Amino acid sequence: MSGPYLIRGSVSLPEAELMWRFSRSSGPGGQHVNTSDSQVELRFDLARTEALPEVWKQRALERLAGRLTGGVITVRASEHRSQWRNRETAAVRLAALLAEASAPPPKPRRPTRIPRGINERRLREKKQRSETKRGRSARDWG
């Protein structure tokens, strides 16, 4: 493994809390696929972890509720032929998922007002167009 996987700031995934499971992959690799356990399943107990600040943990539990099984989040990787690269992929994907789920909500949008000048110009152009069209009417032509 290439060291701790940063979630955000100085918070990282603790290696001790990661549960790995390996199985045979159906991905690329030819005959090699039949003999090696290259698919990686990474599990992380989000509900019981002490690595995340409490606020982040609550946010992540709320946002990932659909993906959790008993408070545990699972990430699978089988894109690569080597188990090591799949481990890297799974860990990076989990860190990114937790970073996104624990991010603070965006600031609420403050509605802006249309400047008076723009509104006046729009009404002036409307009136001008109306005059043009009224001038085309067949009323005066008889």
Side-chain angles (χ1 to χ4, degrees):
M1 299 297 303
S2 69
Y5 293 94
L6 287 179
I7 295 174
R8 200 169 53 252
S10 61
V11 179
S12 61
L13 283 174
E15 189 65 42
E17 292 185 24
L18 300 178
M19 297 167 276
W20 300 93
R21 216 172 94 202
F22 308 101
S23 59
R24 296 212 172 112
S25 173
S26 62
Q31 293 173 352
H32 173 73
V33 167
N34 304 329
T35 58
S36 65
D37 293 340
S38 60
Q39 177 173 295
V40 173
E41 186 178 286
L42 174 58
R43 298 166 57 97
F44 180 69
D45 195 342
L46 186 57
R48 293 202 199 109
T49 187
E50 296 297 320
L52 297 176
E54 197 57 38
V55 179
W56 289 19
K57 189 158 85 170
Q58 289 309 316
R59 254 190 238 137
L61 284 168
E62 228 172 79
R63 291 179 185 166
L64 297 173
R67 283 195 66 163
L68 297 175
T69 310
V72 176
I73 187 149
T74 306
V75 175
R76 240 189 216 114
S78 62
E79 295 86 56
H80 306 289
R81 289 178 61 160
S82 81
Q83 186 187 95
W84 182 80
R85 284 181 67 192
N86 281 332
R87 282 179 68 131
E88 289 286 311
T89 303
V92 167
R93 208 179 287 162
L94 177 64
L97 191 67
L98 288 174
E100 190 181 325
S102 64
K107 288 181 182 173
R109 182 185 171 277
R110 210 181 91 218
T112 55
R113 288 188 52 215
I114 298 170
R116 190 187 310 152
I118 289 176
N119 212 17
E120 285 173 357
R121 186 177 68 204
R122 181 182 63 86
L123 293 173
R124 195 171 50 247
E125 286 170 1
K126 252 178 103 154
K127 191 165 255 165
Q128 213 171 17
R129 185 83 180 138
S130 164
E131 290 296 322
T132 305
K133 288 194 169 196
R134 195 160 10 127
R136 293 179 187 156
S137 67
R139 199 175 31 158
D140 301 340
W141 290 38

